[in-house]
Structures are given as C-alpha cells and as structure tokens.
C-alpha cells in the first residue's frame, strides 16, 4: 500500500511512499536496537560531531527542502526556511556545542555521613535505548528532526514515524541523516503508515516515546505506554493568549498579533489564538488589526509575496470552518475573513478575526487549528490573569507592556510552560530553552538540557572501599544494638537548626 502526498494549495500529486505493516515496524526496532549497542559506546562528543555533520547537507539543500515542505503542507517556502530548515540547522549546532555540559562527565554526589565509611556515588546519564519519534504535520521537518538529533547524540537508536500528511518530508529527514557516512546504517529508521495502526506497536517496542500532535492522540499514547511503563514526552495542543496592556508598543503588538496568529495558516501549537485587549485600547487596536489583516496576501505559497498559504488538507479546513460557524452561533462577530477563500483552488481559509467573544465560548476555550483569532477585553490585570488561566491548555502565552518588571510579574501568574514579554510564538526557535507545557498541552519537555534528559536515564554508580563490616549488617546482636544507639545520636545531629 502507498500513502500519496498531495499539494494542499493546488491539489497536485507530489509523490508517494510505501507503507509499513506492524511486523516491519517491529523489525525496524530490532535493527535500531542492535545498532544502538555499538553507538552508545562511542564518546558523547564524538557522537555529537558525527551527527553535526548533517548541517553541511542541510545548508546545501536549503531551497529544495523549503520547497518540499511548502508543497507538502502548504506554507510559503521562505516561511518553511526560517521556521523549519534554519531551526534544524541552528538547533543541531547548539546541541553539538552544549551536549558535553549535560551528558559529558559523570558527577560525584556528596554522601554526608556515608563518606566516612569510604563510600562514594557517581551519577551520569545513559541513553534510554530506542526512541520512538512520532511527528505532526504542521512543522513536519523541524520538530521531529530536532527530537531525532537529540536522541541520536544522547546515544539512542530512533524509529521515526512522520505524519501521514508529510511523508515526503519524513523521507527527506531520513535521507539527509543518512548522508552522514559514519552514522550506523540501521541506527535511525523511518516507517510510514497510519498512526492509529502503527502507533500501538511503536509505543510497545520503544524505550521512550517523543510524541508531538493532538491532545487526544497524546492521551491514547500515554494509556498504551502504561502497559510497559514506557516514559513519554507529549507535546500537544495549545491556545496561546496574547495580553495587551495600555502602555504596550501598539505598532509592534498589532503586527505581532497578525503574524502570531496567521503564520502557517494558524496551524501552530503556540500560535496566538486568544487576544486579550485592555478595554481602553480595544477599539483602536481592533480596528488597526482588522485593517492590517485585510491587507495580508493569501495565495499559492510558491508565489512570491504570499503571506498566508493553505491548510494541510480538506479535513483540517472543514474542522476550522465548523468551529467558525459554531462561534457565530454562540454570538461571536466576524470582523475579517471567516470563510474558505473562494478565489483559490486548494484548502485556504481567509485570515479570520472574531470579536464580541466571551471566555466561556467554545471558540475561546477549544483549540482551533487554523487562522482564527478570538478577541476579548479586560478591565484589570487580575481579570486578565483569571481569563488566561481559565483554559484547558498551557503551552505558551505573552504579555505586552513597556514596563518589563510589570510584564514579568504578570507572566509569573500564568499557567504555561513559556511566557513571553513583548514577543510571541518564536520561542520554539530557541533550541537551548525548554519546550512544552502543562495541562492539556502535554507532559515532559523537548529542546535544550531538558530534551537530553528526556531521552536518557539517570544512572547511579556506587563504589565502596570500606574494609570493615557495614554497621547495619546482621547479626542484630548486642553490638548491633549499641551501634544503633550511636545512630540515634547521629539522627539528632540531622535536625535542621532554624
Ligand atoms: P495528530 O495527533 O492527529 O497526529 C500526530 C501524529 O500522531 C501523526 O504522526 C499521526 O499519524 C500519529 N498518530 C495518530 N494516531 C495515533 C495513535 N493512536 N498512536 C500513535 N500515533 C498516532 O496531530 P496532528 O498531526 O494533526 O497535529 C496537530 C496537533 O499537534 C495540534 O493539536 C497541535 O497543537 C499539536 N502540536 C503540538 C506541538 C507542541 O510542540 N506542543 C507542535 C506541533 C503541533 P497519522 O498522520 O498517520 O495519523
């Protein structure tokens, strides 16, 4: 069987890949596990320098890869370059430079009283084994690429399943990593097929699962992983808020709200999906945003000058159109867009602004994975904090004010993994910082130090040079009882003096 890749902007066929069945997926895990036995013995910095060679090929293929992403998922090629290919190159460079600090040396842990008995402890991180990386459609290159690179550098094998909407990009990731001559042939595998069919076996066979996708799929993966107690990192949905205070730089905030919502046709976990405006600036800000939005160019992503491309497929487009319709029924007012673009052949939804929203509406509470921004107002910061937190998701959000201290204080009150002051969305590009969030946005973190910790196990090595018998060993005789009396004195010395 094959999965066909269709360009969502002009509905042309890009190509196809052969699918794998469950037995073939198991075979991929077996091969990756075997290759990993040698790979894990290579020093971490040596592994990192082997993997970092991929940047030479990435730089050579920037334009081809950007175009492939564009044709498979519908975003403009330059957007694909800056948000995906550049991000992959930048993060590999950073992981190469930072890995020895996180995974390099074993660390000695002071043992207090036990040191007096000639005992010492060391901790270092061991690779988890074989990591299952399951990718989404919206950033089909950079997201799985970074997770694969971190897993490999950390000494793991990888079996990667790309989204069925982005199989050619998945294949390109496999091919580009295999341009590295020193990469063991079987260490990194790619499999194609429906997630609902292959997902179970991927979870069953893996030592770690790094999943990026919807909250419902994430829950199904976590339930399945409970059978084998396999740790999972789940990067799930979002409903990021942008809160604008009256003293914000309005020009910058208006542009940010538009870019933050409409990049990649709004198919971004971290995109600005809820706009909270202070009541004193609401009318002015909204009319400037409507004016700017109406000037944006939606079109075929390959045409120069296109700001907003296509949705990934008909199903995603319909989900978003249904959500807009429901918002209308619940009282929201369409200020801009609100429909499928009638002038374009593929799956295009016009950039949409919804006014007169209240916090309990579905369009404010639920993730709409498309170019739809809901606008609300608030009268006090306390009210804004309450509304922002009253939402199932917790990935990112932002606060906009010229008073940085005030912004930082506000930010600390928000239940998200990342809060930005006067910025939005771009923090995914910071490969050195933790990525992920609580509540329905997931569990665990990718990127940076936290990403390396996610794909490794802490290993504790205890070494003993004590020549005598340990005082707590049998027999529990008279001597033992005296020794325990001494321990009672020691215990008293451990009461922390306040
Ligand atoms: P899906 O959950 O539909 O799919 C994601 C991946 O999971 C695909 O590879 C899919 O395969 C696979 N899959 C589907 N069912 C299962 C299963 N039962 N077991 C294992 N794997 C399965 O998400 P989307 O691709 O639609 O991505 C959009 C969602 O991802 C949004 O909610 C978005 O917010 C979130 N996201 C989160 C990010 C983050 O960092 N927090 C970043 C990017 C997106 P197949 O394609 O074959 O169905």
């Amino acid at each position: 069987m094959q999965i066909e890749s269709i360009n969502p902007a002009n509905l042309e066929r890009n190509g196809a890949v052969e699918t794998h069945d469950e037995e073939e997926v198991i075979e991929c895990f077996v091969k990756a596990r075997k290759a990993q036995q040698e790979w894990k013995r290579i020093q971490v910095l040596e592994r990192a320098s082997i993997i970092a060679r991929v940047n030479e090929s990435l730089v050579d293929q920037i334009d081809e890869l950007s175009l492939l992403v564009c044709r498979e998922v519908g975003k403009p090629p330059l957007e694909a370059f800056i948000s995906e290919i550049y991000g992959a190159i930048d993060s590999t460079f950073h992981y190469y430079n930072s890995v020895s600090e996180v995974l390099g040396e074993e660390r000695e842990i002071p043992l207090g009283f036990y040191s007096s008995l000639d005992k010492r402890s060391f901790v270092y991180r061991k690779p988890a084994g074989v990591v299952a990386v399951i990718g989404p459609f919206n950033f089909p290159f950079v997201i799985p690429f970074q997770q694969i690179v971190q897993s490999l550098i950390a000494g793991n094998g990888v079996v990667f399943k790309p989204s069925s909407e982005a199989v050619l990009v998945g294949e390109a990731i496999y091919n580009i990593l295999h341009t590295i001559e020193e990469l063991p042939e079987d260490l990194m595998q790619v499999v194609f097929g429906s997630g609902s069919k292959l997902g179970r076996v991927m979870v069953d066979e893996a030592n770690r699962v790094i999943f990026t996708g919807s909250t419902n799929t994430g829950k199904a993966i976590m339930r399945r992983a409970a059978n084998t107690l396999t740790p999972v990192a789940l990067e799930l949905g979002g409903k990021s808020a942008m809160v604008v205070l009256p003293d914000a730089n309005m020009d910058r905030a208006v542009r940010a709200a538009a870019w933050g919502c409409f990049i990649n046709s709004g198919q971004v976990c971290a995109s600005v999906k809820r706009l909270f405006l202070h009541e004193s600036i609401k009318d002015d800000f909204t009319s400037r945003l409507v004016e700017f939005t109406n000037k944006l160019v939606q079109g075929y992503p390959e045409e120069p000058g296109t700001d907003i491309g296509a949705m990934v497929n008909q199903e995603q487009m319909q989900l978003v159109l249904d959500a807009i319709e429901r918002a209308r029924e619940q009282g929201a007012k369409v200020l801009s867009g609100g429909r499928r673009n009638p002038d374009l052949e593929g799956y295009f939804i016009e950039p949409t602004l919804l006014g007169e929203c209240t916090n309990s509406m579905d369009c404010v509470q639920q993730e709409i994975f498309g170019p739809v921004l809901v606008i609300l107002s608030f009268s006090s910061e306390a009210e804004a904090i309450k509304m922002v937190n009253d939402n199932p998701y917790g990935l990112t959000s932002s606060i906009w004010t010229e008073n940085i201290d005030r912004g930082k204080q506000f930010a600390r009150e928000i239940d998200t993994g990342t809060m930005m002051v006067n910025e939005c969305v771009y923090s995914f590009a910071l490969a050195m910082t933790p990525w992920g969030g609580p509540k329905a946005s997931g569990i665990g973190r990718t990127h940076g130090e936290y990403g390396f910790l996610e794909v490794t196990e802490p290993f504790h090595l205890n070494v003993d040079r004590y020549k005598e018998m340990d005082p707590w060993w049998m027999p529990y005789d008279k001597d033992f009882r005296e020794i325990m009396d001494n321990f009672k004195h020691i215990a008293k010395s451990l009461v922390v003096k306040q």
Side-chain angles (χ1 to χ4, degrees):
M1 257 184 52
Q2 289 196 326
I3 297 178
E4 296 222 320
S5 165
I6 305 293
N7 183 329
N10 58 19
L11 310 187
E12 282 174 11
R13 184 178 183 274
N14 293 312
V17 296
E18 290 295 327
T19 57
H20 294 73
D21 62 25
E22 284 97 328
E23 276 76 48
E24 287 168 320
V25 174
I26 292 173
E27 185 59 21
C28 286
F29 274 92
V30 170
K31 284 183 178 171
R33 204 173 297 289
K34 197 161 170 232
Q36 192 257 344
Q37 293 306 312
E38 291 301 313
W39 179 246
K40 70 180 183 188
R41 297 206 167 83
I42 299 174
Q43 287 296 312
V44 64
L45 204 53
E46 173 64 14
R47 286 196 305 254
S49 60
I50 292 173
I51 298 300
R53 278 172 214 155
V54 75
N55 271 4
E56 290 167 32
S57 309
L58 284 174
V59 167
D60 285 347
Q61 294 180 42
I62 283 176
D63 292 339
E64 295 90 315
L65 290 169
S66 303
L67 197 58
L68 177 65
V69 172
C70 157
R71 289 188 175 157
E72 199 155 41
V73 297
K75 63 182 83 175
L78 285 181
E79 192 180 289
F81 161 62
I82 192 62
S83 66
E84 300 224 47
I85 315 305
Y86 180 84
I89 296 168
D90 180 65
S91 55
T92 305
F93 182 77
H94 170 72
Y95 296 147
Y96 167 73
N97 280 305
S98 65
V99 69
S100 14
E101 212 174 292
V102 189
L103 302 182
E105 297 295 313
E106 64 182 24
R107 190 164 54 90
E108 179 158 10
I109 304 212
L111 295 184
F113 160 78
Y114 296 98
S115 316
S116 66
L117 305 179
D118 276 344
K119 298 173 191 313
R120 295 176 72 189
S121 274
F122 306 88
V123 165
Y124 63 94
R125 310 278 314 184
K126 276 189 174 181
V130 179
V131 178
V133 173
I134 303 176
F137 73 78
N138 61 335
F139 287 91
F141 196 92
V142 69
I143 290 178
F145 185 89
Q146 291 176 330
Q147 296 163 351
I148 292 166
V149 161
Q150 281 208 289
S151 300
L152 293 173
I153 289 177
N156 299 289
V158 170
V159 178
F160 163 45
K161 195 202 92 59
S163 162
S164 296
E165 300 301 328
V167 286
L168 299 185
V169 173
E171 188 177 52
I173 291 176
Y174 175 85
N175 288 338
I176 209 145
L177 279 160
H178 283 84
T179 58
I180 305 171
E181 275 175 25
E182 298 85 347
L183 186 81
E185 178 67 26
D186 290 336
L187 188 67
M188 188 250 158
Q189 310 270 339
V190 64
V191 296
F192 303 108
S194 139
S196 51
K197 187 166 166 238
L198 301 187
R200 283 191 294 270
V201 66
M202 298 241 353
V203 175
D204 291 351
E205 295 298 313
N207 300 100
R208 282 287 188 288
V209 180
I210 308 288
F211 169 76
T212 311
S214 62
T215 300
N216 278 343
T217 309
K219 286 180 183 173
I221 286 176
M222 195 159 173
R223 278 194 292 270
R224 184 76 187 186
N227 290 337
T228 42
L229 292 179
T230 303
V232 294
L234 305 175
E235 301 293 359
L236 311 177
K239 190 78 178 176
S240 296
M242 171 171 176
V243 180
V244 188
L245 300 186
D247 69 338
N249 175 337
M250 290 299 151
D251 291 336
R252 194 172 144 79
V254 168
R255 288 276 293 273
W259 175 79
C261 180
F262 304 133
I263 177 176
N264 199 17
S265 275
Q267 300 164 112
V268 183
C269 51
S271 62
V272 175
K273 296 190 175 91
R274 297 179 287 160
L275 179 60
F276 291 91
L277 301 172
H278 188 267
E279 58 188 7
S280 65
I281 54 164
K282 183 186 150 228
D283 291 343
D284 182 37
F285 193 105
T286 305
S287 63
R288 286 163 73 170
L289 182 59
V290 170
E291 192 187 337
F292 185 76
T293 301
N294 289 341
K295 284 193 206 136
L296 292 171
V297 179
Q298 183 164 52
Y300 292 108
E302 285 178 55
E303 278 173 19
T306 294
D307 297 310
I308 303 170
M311 305 282 301
V312 73
N313 60 26
Q314 185 156 16
E315 191 191 346
Q316 288 294 326
M317 182 183 71
Q318 196 54 51
L319 283 172
V320 175
L321 290 172
D322 292 348
I324 295 172
E325 194 44 45
R326 205 160 50 248
R328 270 203 188 99
E329 286 163 15
Q330 292 184 355
K333 185 174 169 203
V334 175
L335 305 174
S336 185
R339 56 177 189 166
R340 182 175 186 175
N341 190 322
D343 304 325
L344 297 165
E345 192 188 357
Y347 308 123
F348 293 84
I349 294 184
E350 291 176 340
T352 298
L353 300 173
L354 297 179
E356 295 180 20
C357 298
T358 57
N359 217 36
S360 59
M361 285 179 179
D362 289 349
C363 63
V364 180
Q365 287 297 316
Q366 297 170 4
E367 182 179 47
I368 302 175
F369 215 51
V372 180
L373 182 58
V374 300
I375 304 173
L376 300 97
S377 67
F378 61 92
S379 55
S380 69
E381 285 176 39
E383 188 193 8
I385 290 167
K386 193 162 179 294
M387 285 201 287
V388 171
N389 284 338
D390 178 18
N391 190 272
Y393 294 99
L395 191 56
T396 70
S397 282
S398 64
I399 168 81
W400 295 70
T401 169
E402 290 297 89
N403 183 337
I404 300 294
D405 286 340
R406 188 178 175 194
K408 283 164 74 176
Q409 207 173 337
F410 183 101
R412 289 195 177 92
E413 299 295 324
I414 303 299
D415 306 333
T416 51
T418 295
M419 264 301 281
M420 283 173 270
V421 181
N422 298 329
E423 252 301 358
C424 60
V425 187
Y426 98 109
S427 69
F428 181 84
L430 307 176
M432 48 299 277
T433 60
W435 178 256
K439 306 202 285 191
S441 292
I443 176 168
R445 295 290 185 273
T446 53
H447 285 187
E449 175 184 353
Y450 293 88
F452 281 125
L453 299 185
E454 210 72 59
V455 290
T456 52
E457 275 293 339
F459 179 71
H460 170 205
L461 182 63
N462 184 267
V463 177
D464 203 309
R465 292 199 168 80
Y466 196 46
K467 299 281 186 278
E468 308 299 324
M469 302 305 124
D470 278 352
W472 47 82
W473 285 356
M474 293 172 186
Y476 295 162
D477 55 10
K478 187 164 165 291
D479 287 353
F480 178 76
R481 287 195 289 278
E482 275 170 21
I483 292 167
M484 287 304 111
D485 282 341
N486 280 338
F487 267 93
K488 286 176 190 166
H489 286 298
I490 296 172
K492 281 182 194 158
S493 75
L494 299 177
V495 175
V496 177
K497 297 206 170 46
Q498 305 289 344

